[in-house]
Amino acid sequence: MNISFLDTWRNRRRGGGPGPSSAAAAREQEGITELLSECELLRVHAMRLGLRLDDSVDSLSALDQLPPRWREDKEELPWFGNDAGLYLGTVIVRTVPGARWNIWPSGHPVVRLASGREIQVVEAGLDWAVTGAPELAQVYAEAAEA
């Protein structure tokens, strides 16, 4: 599969040349955001409950209010939590000025705020899926004020 932003990322990770130009970096960031925003398991589950996830802050609050039926399926739970974290990251990246995805060398996605602070959104999503805390809207609020 040829995914240009992944090729660029792999090349930089291996020390193969300079970083991308600002236009290339913007395209790379758009590609990463598009890929990580799929969150299919979460979106399907929410849709079944009548909730359309529109990448808005309000949708995070609505997710926080859903009955946690996903906890009944122990095999699906980590995948659901991962999707919740990626969705949280998607909302932050799309609505908080200066926020962007950052992929660690291990391949782990985090959201980097304009301040330089990194939010481990996948861990936050997993914690939320398992225990209900912290609420996704709360994590968002903390990111938005940083």
Side-chain angles (χ1 to χ4, degrees), residues 9-87:
W9 175 74
R10 285 186 191 117
N11 191 34
R12 278 196 326 230
R13 186 172 162 210
R14 293 182 188 129
S21 68
S22 61
R27 281 192 309 274
E28 180 179 319
Q29 198 48 221
E30 288 172 25
I32 291 170
T33 300
E34 199 61 36
L35 180 67
L36 297 179
S37 71
E38 288 183 9
C39 316
E40 185 176 355
L41 179 63
L42 178 71
R43 289 181 189 275
V44 167
H45 185 82
M47 189 70 79
R48 284 184 193 145
L49 295 172
L51 174 60
R52 182 178 167 276
L53 299 181
D54 60 1
D55 300 350
S56 70
V57 179
D58 290 340
S59 67
L60 292 174
S61 296
L63 275 171
D64 287 334
Q65 301 307 311
L66 290 179
R69 294 190 184 114
W70 55 84
R71 293 185 191 143
E72 296 167 4
D73 186 341
K74 297 300 179 196
E75 284 186 32
E76 196 172 75
L77 182 60
W79 297 104
F80 189 85
N82 186 74
D83 273 12
L86 293 176
Y87 183 72

Side-chain angles (χ1 to χ4, degrees), residues 61-142:
S61 296
L63 275 171
D64 287 334
Q65 301 307 311
L66 290 179
R69 294 190 184 114
W70 55 84
R71 293 185 191 143
E72 296 167 4
D73 186 341
K74 297 300 179 196
E75 284 186 32
E76 196 172 75
L77 182 60
W79 297 104
F80 189 85
N82 186 74
D83 273 12
L86 293 176
Y87 183 72
L88 169 63
T90 297
V91 175
I92 294 171
V93 166
R94 290 191 171 154
T95 61
V96 174
R100 65 181 186 84
W101 285 105
N102 186 39
I103 309 295
W104 288 351
S106 64
H108 186 74
V110 296
V111 172
R112 179 174 287 162
L113 302 175
S115 67
R117 178 177 161 223
E118 289 186 336
I119 301 173
Q120 295 188 28
V121 291
V122 171
E123 284 77 5
L126 288 167
D127 289 345
W128 172 81
V130 172
T131 67
E135 289 186 341
L136 300 175
Q138 176 187 349
V139 176
Y140 175 87
E142 291 170 5

